[in-house]
Amino acid sequence: MMGNYAVRETIDHALYPLAKAKEIELVEPSLRREGGSDHVPFDEAGVPGFWCVQDVADYDKMHHSQADRLEHVRWDDLTEGAQVLAVFAYNVAQLPELLPRKATKEKKADQ
């Protein structure tokens, strides 16, 4: 949750339907911050940005290398990831309010 504890209850609510699915094993959402991903600029601007982790398999050996090709895709993992993100996105889109924001560096400096 990138250090955004205010979003915890909302994340739990959005993921709840998946927690009941026996085919998908969810782990507890983490407050841990993680860099190096496309979500970081959103997080830094105060827009909730998250990342999801599945079994990393050979990610560290293939990602952004000449071996990073379609034949190495783990289709079951790709399908499961798409399902989880679709349910999460739908549930968040149905919320009556925006996800809770955290203060940006600029907002903290103004205070």
Side-chain angles (χ1 to χ4, degrees):
M1 292 178 288
M2 296 293 290
N4 185 357
Y5 189 78
V7 79
R8 177 58 193 253
E9 186 176 338
T10 306
I11 296 290
D12 287 344
H13 178 74
L15 292 175
Y16 177 74
L18 293 169
K20 297 188 305 184
K22 292 180 180 161
E23 305 82 25
I24 297 174
E25 183 180 335
L26 293 178
V27 297
E28 184 83 13
S30 171
L31 282 171
R32 190 177 84 209
R33 299 185 56 80
E34 186 70 30
S37 177
D38 297 340
H39 74 283
V40 173
F42 291 97
D43 181 68
E44 290 173 349
V47 177
F50 308 107
W51 62 292
C52 300
V53 177
Q54 286 179 290
D55 181 9
V56 295
D58 293 325
Y59 180 86
D60 59 335
K61 297 174 187 165
M62 290 190 198
H63 187 64
H64 293 308
S65 75
Q66 63 190 32
D68 197 356
R69 298 189 313 264
L70 193 58
E71 65 261 21
H72 295 286
V73 169
R74 294 170 61 178
W75 293 105
D76 290 343
D77 287 354
L78 184 65
T79 300
E80 181 182 87
Q83 292 167 338
V84 169
L85 290 176
V87 169
F88 177 78
Y90 178 81
N91 288 338
V92 168
Q94 300 304 310
L95 294 172
E97 298 176 5
L98 294 174
L99 288 172
R101 273 40 180 171
K102 62 183 180 183
T104 62
K105 292 176 186 175
E106 293 81 25
K107 285 184 183 178
K108 288 179 185 175
D110 292 340
Q111 296 175 349

